[in-house]
Amino acid sequence: MTSTQGSDASVKAHSPDEPFTHRLATVADDVERFLVALLDENLRAGEIARPSRLMEAMRHAVLGGGKRLRPFLAIETARMLGGSEESAMAAGAGVELIHCYSLVHDDLPAMDDDDMRRGKPTVHKAYDEATAILVGDALQTLAFEITADAQWQPDPAIRADLVLGLAKASGLGGMVGGQLLDLTAEGRFGEVSLDVDDTLRMQAMKTGAILAYSVEAGAIVGHADLEQRTALLRYGKALGQAFQVADDILDREASPEAMGKATGKDKDAGKATLVDRLGLDGARAECDRLVGVCEEAVAPWGERARILREAARFTVARKT
C-alpha cells in the first residue's frame, strides 16, 4: 500500500466565490504536497529499496513546476458532484504522474530532443538518457500503484474503473498511440500528409485522451451516473482538443522564456497542427467553438460548474 504518512496530503476547503486563478494555484499547492510525500525516501510495504539517484531524478521531473491542470480537473469534477476530494486527489495525482512520465520520454533525443522543460534542464540533460528512461518507467508504474491503492479508493469497483480508464487513456489507443502518430506526421517513417481529421485524431489521442480522463476520473470518484458521465466526457474531450490547439498557437507566438522550453520546434519539425491546417485566426475560432461545447456540456450543473466553465476559458486564454 502506498502511504503518505506524516504529511498533509488532504485537499483544503475552498470558497465557492474564490477567483479561478487563486483556486488553481491553491489546488496545485495541495497536489504538490501530495506528490512530495509520494516521492520521499521512505520505503513502502512491498518495496525492497528506493534507489537514491532514481528518486532524485523522479523528483526533478515531477516537483516544482506545472499548473497541475489534470489533477485540478479531477478534483474539481469530483467536488462539483460531491465526491471525496481526497480520493480525487489520489486519482488526479495518478494522472499527473502519467503526464510527467510522458514529458520525460517526449524530451528524449529519440523523440522531441528538448533541453529545457518548465524552465530547468530536462531529465536526460540533468542526469543521463538511461536514468531518464527509467524515471519515465517508474512514474508510469507509480501512477497505477496510487490509482489502485485501497487507501485512497476503498471501493474496488471505483478502483477498477479508474485503472481501466487510465490504461486506455495513456496507452496504445490514447497517449502513446497519439505520440506515434505525431512522429509519423513528421515523416519519420516515410512521407505522409495529414488532413484536418487526421490531425484531430492524433491530437485527441496524444493530448486529449489524458485530459478527458482527468475529468472522467473525477466523475468516477463522484459517483456520476451514465448521463452525467456522458456529459462530462463531452466536456473533457472538447477541453482536451482546445488545450492542444491553444498549445499549438503558443508554440508559434510565445517566447521560450514564458513557456520554460523551446518554442517554434513543432513547425521546424513538420509536426501536424491545426494552426498549419486552419491558420492562426482559424485556430483561435476553433478554440472559441470548443469552449462553447464545454460550457454547454456542464450547463445542467448550473453555478456548481462555474470552476469547470472557467477552466475551459483558462485553457484557451493561458500564456504558458
Side-chain angles (χ1 to χ4, degrees):
M1 176 182 291
T2 301
S3 174
T4 54
Q5 293 175 357
S7 69
D8 177 11
S10 62
V11 182
K12 290 183 170 59
H14 298 275
S15 164
D17 300 321
E18 186 177 10
F20 175 80
T21 53
H22 185 265
R23 180 106 148 213
L24 180 65
T26 304
V27 172
D29 288 343
D30 294 341
V31 173
E32 184 81 2
R33 282 193 296 275
F34 190 94
L35 294 171
V36 166
L38 198 64
L39 295 171
D40 66 19
E41 300 289 341
N42 298 321
L43 284 179
R44 274 51 168 186
E47 293 181 345
I48 298 172
R50 289 193 155 201
S52 58
R53 181 177 178 82
L54 182 60
M55 295 307 304
E56 181 183 311
M58 289 169 72
R59 287 192 288 268
H60 180 90
V62 174
L63 303 180
K67 292 175 283 295
R68 311 301 189 191
L69 180 62
R70 291 153 189 83
F72 178 83
L73 290 169
I75 290 165
E76 290 300 334
T77 301
R79 193 198 307 275
M80 182 183 76
L81 296 169
S84 164
E85 294 175 16
E86 288 75 15
S87 295
M89 169 67 75
V95 185
E96 186 68 8
L97 292 172
I98 289 287
H99 174 56
C100 292
Y101 125 68
S102 76
L103 298 181
V104 173
H105 279 191
D106 282 356
D107 290 337
L108 288 167
M111 302 285 275
D112 288 347
D113 194 15
D114 277 315
D115 294 344
M116 299 295 292
R117 171 70 66 179
R118 294 172 173 171
K120 60 185 180 183
T122 51
V123 176
H124 73 274
K125 285 293 182 181
Y127 296 88
D128 59 82
E129 288 184 41
T131 299
I133 291 168
L134 293 174
V135 164
D137 294 343
L139 291 175
Q140 182 189 45
T141 53
L142 184 58
F144 284 98
E145 181 181 339
I146 190 68
T147 302
D149 195 333
Q151 176 185 0
W152 305 110
Q153 313 297 346
D155 185 333
I158 287 180
R159 292 202 300 274
D161 213 355
L162 289 170
V163 169
L164 180 61
L166 185 58
K168 286 182 175 180
S170 61
L172 65 92
M175 183 185 71
V176 173
Q179 180 64 46
L180 190 282
L181 293 180
D182 193 30
L183 295 176
T184 301
E186 293 179 16
R188 296 269 190 117
F189 317 116
E191 190 172 343
V192 65
S193 178
L194 271 64
D195 60 19
V196 171
D197 288 341
D198 293 329
T199 302
L200 288 172
R201 183 183 304 110
M202 179 270 291
Q203 292 182 341
M205 293 170 66
K206 180 185 175 185
T207 304
I210 284 291
L211 278 161
Y213 168 76
S214 301
V215 178
E216 186 178 20
I220 293 168
V221 170
H223 301 279
D225 60 30
L226 180 59
E227 183 178 358
Q228 291 173 327
R229 282 184 66 168
T230 300
L232 288 167
L233 186 58
R234 185 164 66 251
Y235 167 92
K237 287 181 175 180
L239 184 138
Q241 188 177 339
F243 182 96
Q244 182 60 62
V245 178
D247 219 42
D248 293 341
I249 294 171
L250 285 170
D251 186 69
R252 297 295 176 86
E253 297 188 329
S255 68
E257 292 75 22
M259 293 294 286
K261 62 179 182 179
T263 57
K265 291 189 67 176
D266 288 353
K267 184 176 181 180
D268 294 341
K271 288 182 179 290
T273 73
L274 281 189
V275 173
D276 292 321
R277 307 300 182 261
L278 303 176
L280 281 168
D281 289 342
R284 291 190 185 96
E286 179 64 4
C287 281
D288 291 340
R289 185 190 71 81
L290 290 165
V291 169
V293 173
C294 289
E295 292 181 335
E296 185 275 331
V298 297
W301 285 276
E303 182 56 25
R304 287 161 55 199
R306 177 181 68 87
I307 293 295
L308 292 185
R309 287 195 298 273
E310 292 189 22
R313 298 181 197 127
F314 169 82
T315 293
V316 302
R318 63 197 167 90
K319 302 302 181 184
T320 63

